[in-house]
Amino acid sequence: MFIKQLYTGCLSESAYFIESNGIAAVIDPLRDIEDYLILAKERNAVIKYIFETHFHADFVSGHLDLAAATGATIVYGPDTVTRFQAHVAKDEELFQIGEITLQVLHTPGHTLESSCYLLKNETGKDTAIFTGDTLFVGDVGRPDLAQKANEITMQDLAGMLYESLQKRIMPLADDVLLYPAHGAGSSCGKNLGPETFSTIGEQKATNYALQPQSKDEFIRSVTEGLAAPPQYFPINAKINKEGYESLDSVLEKGLQPLSIAAFKEKIKNNLFILDTRNSSDFINGFVPGSVSIGLDGRFAEWAGSILPFDQPMILVTEKGKEKESIVRLARVGFDKIEGYLDGSYEGWLAAGEKIDMIIDVEADEMAMDIDFDPNMVIVDVRKPNEYADGHIKEAINIPLDTLTDPGSMANMDDNHNIYLHCAGGYRSVIASSLIKRQGIHNIRNVTGGFARIKELSDKFDIEKEAAVLN
């Protein structure tokens, strides 16, 4: 028996490759399927099944492309309705994979079709459970992603999740390995732990959701303080349910080198410009109107949260990073990519084309200006809970994912001296590019973010509060 977890950091996502006696299965694959095909070849195995724990909302699954490449059967749990061919399993249905078995356990709660897959080894012993978004290390899946929004409430789903955990997870032996679909940083739960796997026994001892409590207490604990899901979640869930264009087709369209003249023509036609270079390179110069989301951070999540899905896109990338940029965009459903700047930014600069820049300032320089600049506006682009846990007095909280909303900067213009910061610097560069795209250019990016500001706490008036400015 062979089990491999394939963890993708920028999505905090775990897919799994399972093999026994030359028969393999993949659980919750990403859209780019090459790693699974390579593993199958290395193991001299045939991928027979593709198991999906539910309709994922935070990424586009690779189930369709992997099935087309291998002939494998796509399997979902009970209550699943799709627009493509799939095997909808019965509760407790068994699937043989070489000498081991996977058993379907229907566990509604995160979504209605959510299911776990219990692995029984060669002797029939419960060995591991692949829980999708039903149970994480330290947390459970959020219960507010129902696709039938008018028919079922968040509290209804939370109640179902309580029953699923009590009836399907709690009876398992303590030594059963827990393999969830996500790790820390995922928006599919409230506060996932840093580990990417655990045991049922450890979670019974430490996970708040598995502690003795009534159903009503559980519902309150999993729904209180739940931030709104990212805007792209329903888009990705719909794509996973209805189907999508093959990744090969997306790459064929996107991997088109554009001359400077062709690139400028695309800009005239209102195509969106995305720059995926590292933020440290972007601030020193970029094509005017570009939005920065660097591959060096939580790229896919922020792309899904702030970029338009209905607008064609062109790219500026580090040389050699064109394919990676397109693949990582496709992971969260971006298919309308029409090429990239040939020669990257360096070619644009060498040709004498107009450029834009972002001015960096150190936190201590900002501290010196606070008492003497009546036009200073400090904008904190962290999430509301980060802001509430500590922020510069009188700083305005405009979370990054709201900066694309009309009017988010309505009360500011170039008469203000705008200082932007996040936690460490990645998000504030994205924010700077978005604000510049709105026509406001008198901005400063505070290097090091709030982490550096806290180090200089003697120079700043830092406060905490329960109420959060929006």
Side-chain angles (χ1 to χ4, degrees):
M1 178 175 62
F2 174 82
I3 301 173
K4 185 174 179 63
Q5 181 185 67
L6 297 98
Y7 192 75
T8 303
C10 76
L11 286 169
S12 303
E13 193 271 347
S14 290
Y16 297 91
F17 183 94
I18 305 164
E19 182 264 331
S20 172
N21 279 9
I23 304 298
V26 179
I27 299 177
D28 292 337
L30 284 181
R31 192 171 184 180
D32 40 315
I33 62 172
E34 186 175 358
D35 284 349
Y36 318 121
L37 299 178
I38 291 172
L39 271 171
K41 186 175 181 180
E42 289 176 350
R43 303 290 302 178
N44 194 26
V46 174
I47 298 175
K48 186 177 181 180
Y49 295 111
I50 302 160
F51 293 99
E52 292 283 2
T53 54
H54 62 295
F55 291 124
H56 302 282
D58 60 312
F59 68 94
V60 175
S61 179
H63 53 307
L64 295 181
D65 279 358
L66 189 55
T70 64
T73 300
I74 301 170
V75 179
Y76 280 89
D79 294 342
T80 300
V81 178
T82 72
R83 292 191 178 181
F84 49 84
Q85 186 173 355
H87 177 86
V88 178
K90 299 179 177 64
D91 189 27
E92 300 190 0
E93 185 172 346
L94 298 172
F95 293 84
Q96 195 72 32
I97 302 168
E99 295 184 352
I100 64 176
T101 305
L102 280 186
Q103 183 178 35
V104 179
L105 300 181
H106 189 206
T107 51
H110 175 63
T111 64
L112 292 172
E113 78 285 348
S114 285
S115 296
C116 300
Y117 296 99
L118 180 63
L119 186 151
K120 299 175 182 292
N121 69 10
E122 295 85 350
T123 66
K125 181 182 184 298
D126 294 347
T127 302
I129 185 166
F130 302 88
T131 54
D133 289 18
T134 295
L135 178 65
F136 300 126
V137 177
D139 204 354
V140 290
R142 59 189 305 153
D144 61 339
L145 301 181
Q147 296 299 297
K148 299 179 180 179
N150 295 325
E151 301 174 25
I152 191 166
T153 68
M154 173 172 62
Q155 286 72 24
D156 292 334
L157 275 174
M160 293 180 192
L161 184 57
Y162 175 82
E163 296 294 340
S164 294
L165 293 170
Q166 293 298 314
K167 295 177 181 178
R168 312 314 294 265
I169 302 297
M170 292 298 289
L172 295 173
D174 288 353
D175 63 351
V176 172
L177 293 168
L178 168 68
Y179 288 122
H182 294 291
S186 171
S187 296
C188 293
K190 288 196 298 185
N191 189 27
L192 283 68
E195 297 83 10
T196 62
F197 64 93
S198 182
T199 65
I200 292 298
E202 184 176 347
Q203 292 309 297
K204 287 178 182 177
T206 61
N207 192 317
Y208 77 95
L210 299 186
Q211 303 312 301
Q213 58 193 304
S214 69
K215 187 174 184 176
D216 288 341
E217 289 171 335
F218 175 87
I219 291 172
R220 282 194 298 271
S221 68
V222 299
T223 57
E224 286 180 351
L226 194 60
Q231 67 164 8
Y232 71 99
F233 271 29
I235 297 172
N236 278 202
K238 183 178 180 182
I239 291 172
N240 283 323
K241 186 173 184 177
E242 297 183 356
Y244 51 79
E245 186 177 5
S246 74
L247 181 58
D248 285 344
S249 296
V250 176
L251 286 168
E252 184 178 354
K253 290 186 300 182
L255 287 175
Q256 299 294 324
L258 301 171
S259 67
I260 290 175
F263 196 85
K264 291 170 71 174
E265 192 63 32
K266 295 278 189 183
I267 295 174
K268 287 181 184 178
N269 292 329
N270 200 35
L271 268 70
F272 194 96
I273 311 170
L274 175 66
D275 192 318
T276 70
R277 295 175 299 149
N278 288 357
S279 55
S280 58
D281 294 323
F282 181 87
I283 60 173
N284 291 321
F286 55 90
V287 177
S290 300
V291 169
S292 168
I293 308 180
L295 293 176
D296 54 319
R298 294 188 67 82
F299 173 79
E301 181 178 353
W302 285 116
S305 296
I306 64 177
L307 298 182
F309 279 85
D310 57 351
Q311 187 174 352
M313 186 185 309
I314 48 179
L315 305 178
V316 179
T317 78
E318 179 185 339
K319 292 179 182 178
K321 296 287 187 178
E322 299 86 2
K323 181 177 180 180
E324 179 183 349
S325 298
I326 295 169
V327 167
R328 290 174 67 174
L329 285 166
R331 286 176 180 169
V332 287
F334 290 101
D335 292 346
K336 296 180 173 64
I337 304 161
E338 296 191 5
Y340 62 90
L341 179 60
D342 194 17
S344 189
Y345 172 74
E346 291 79 10
W348 181 272
L349 181 64
E353 298 290 343
K354 290 182 180 180
I355 67 167
D356 202 349
M357 302 175 70
I358 293 171
I359 298 173
D360 271 352
V361 297
E362 300 287 342
D364 53 358
E365 182 180 345
M366 178 176 67
M368 289 188 290
D369 293 341
I370 285 178
D371 294 331
F372 303 102
D373 186 351
N375 293 322
M376 175 184 280
V377 178
I378 301 172
V379 177
D380 185 333
V381 301
R382 295 176 300 158
K383 295 178 180 179
N385 62 323
E386 296 176 277
Y387 175 85
D389 193 45
H391 59 269
I392 299 173
K393 185 178 181 180
E394 298 185 0
I396 300 171
N397 184 219
I398 308 179
L400 175 56
D401 60 356
T402 68
L403 276 173
T404 55
D405 296 342
S408 63
M409 300 291 290
N411 296 322
M412 299 180 204
D413 55 39
D414 276 342
N415 293 320
H416 295 100
N417 295 321
I418 301 171
Y419 287 70
L420 290 161
H421 80 81
C422 59
Y426 179 79
R427 285 176 285 175
S428 60
V429 174
I430 300 174
S432 297
S433 68
L434 287 169
I435 294 170
K436 273 183 166 283
R437 198 169 184 271
Q438 294 182 37
I440 300 174
H441 295 279
N442 193 16
I443 57 178
R444 306 288 186 273
N445 174 59
V446 182
T447 60
F450 196 69
R452 178 57 178 156
I453 290 167
K454 285 195 297 183
E455 292 176 358
L456 302 170
S457 57
D458 59 320
K459 298 183 178 182
F460 293 96
D461 189 356
I462 296 176
E463 61 184 12
K464 295 186 178 185
E465 59 184 68
V468 177
L469 296 174
N470 288 296

